[in-house]
Amino acid sequence: AQTVTQSQPEMSVQEAETVTLSCTYDTSESDYYLFWYKQPPSRQMILVIRQEAYKQQNATENRFSVNFQKAAKSFSLKISDSQLGDAAMYFCAYRRPDLIQGAQKLVFGQGTRLTINP
Amino acid sequence: NAGVMQNPRHLVRRRGQEARLRCSPMKGHSHVYWYRQLPEEGLKFMVYLQKENIIDESGMPKERFSAEFPKEGPSILRIQQVVRGDSAAYFCASALGLFTEAFFGQGTRLTVV
């Protein structure tokens, strides 16, 4: 079974600085998707960024980028120029892309609570 | 274009009562997923439904929990004879198809007293 591990329960960063959140996963599949979701106090799950395993290029969305190391099964999220609105729980998630029954479900890590210090 | 709508946002039930959680997917979406989030934990998959069919219920507890997604109307997650351990946030996500992104609702926080 696939598992996702986030080893940092909490992180903090000064506003405008850069922070990196760690995520490792375990799978025997060669093709899959990885995601980072943000969950602010409102509880809404917001997709931040996604990465297809077959793509070697790291995904980037504005101030958010990932460092995807497939051999190491590592998928870290870098937030540049941190803003107060970035404060939230961040969840790493894994999903298989294939058509077999049940493949579409997301497997989440335990989450990292990010605090932004003004 | 309204997002995924879940109601109620908050639900309080006494032990032994039934809880019904509703999820209206985004317009045109026929795939629905339910997840449960215990305090300070990540979301855990419960069930995946398409219109009128349960595709994967591998994450559903064997007893007291059931889900449906009828041809008309919202998807319903039903918990019978609730216990304190059922207290959690329950999230619904919907998707247009198998290879498309799933969008989450804001969740229903169930409190069992």
Side-chain angles (χ1 to χ4, degrees), chain B residues 18 21 54 64 66 86 100 111:
Chain B
E18 179 179 286
L21 289 63
I54 296 174
R64 303 188 296 108
S66 62
D86 297 333
T100 58
T111 302

Side-chain angles (χ1 to χ4, degrees), chain A residues 83-96:
Chain A
Q83 300 175 1
L84 294 177
D86 295 333
M89 284 289 287
Y90 285 81
F91 293 98
C92 179
Y94 165 102
R95 195 190 81 193
R96 289 165 58 179

Side-chain angles (χ1 to χ4, degrees), chain A:
Chain A
Q2 292 83 17
T3 58
V4 178
T5 302
Q6 294 178 249
S7 58
Q8 306 155 315
E10 296 182 354
M11 291 282 284
S12 63
V13 64
Q14 289 296 126
E15 192 176 2
E17 297 292 308
T18 295
V19 64
T20 299
L21 308 184
S22 301
C23 172
T24 58
Y25 58 93
D26 186 26
T27 183
S28 58
E29 304 294 326
S30 59
D31 196 16
Y32 45 86
Y33 296 121
L34 295 165
F35 306 84
W36 278 98
Y37 281 87
K38 171 184 178 181
Q39 187 180 42
S42 67
R43 284 209 322 265
Q44 178 77 51
M45 292 292 286
I46 302 166
L47 178 64
V48 174
I49 200 165
R50 64 179 270 170
Q51 173 82 42
E52 289 88 348
Y54 65 87
K55 289 186 177 179
Q56 293 187 336
Q57 187 172 5
N58 289 325
T60 298
E61 287 287 343
N62 300 315
R63 296 182 296 107
F64 299 86
S65 62
V66 298
N67 183 4
F68 173 47
Q69 302 288 329
K70 191 172 184 179
K73 297 180 181 175
S74 169
F75 182 60
S76 60
L77 175 70
K78 185 172 85 171
I79 307 174
S80 304
D81 185 25
S82 299
Q83 300 175 1
L84 294 177
D86 295 333
M89 284 289 287
Y90 285 81
F91 293 98
C92 179
Y94 165 102
R95 195 190 81 193
R96 289 165 58 179
D98 48 49
L99 285 169
I100 67 169
Q101 196 174 67
Q104 286 295 295
K105 62 187 179 191
L106 289 161
V107 178
F108 285 88
Q110 308 92 315
T112 297
R113 184 178 302 281
L114 179 63
T115 302
I116 311 295
N117 300 315

Side-chain angles (χ1 to χ4, degrees), chain A residues 44 50 97 99 101 104 106, chain B residues 35 55 98-99 101 104 106:
Chain A
Q44 178 77 51
R50 64 179 270 170
L99 285 169
Q101 196 174 67
Q104 286 295 295
L106 289 161
Chain B
Y35 292 83
I55 306 301
L98 273 174
F99 293 113
E101 214 55 67
F104 281 85
Q106 289 193 284

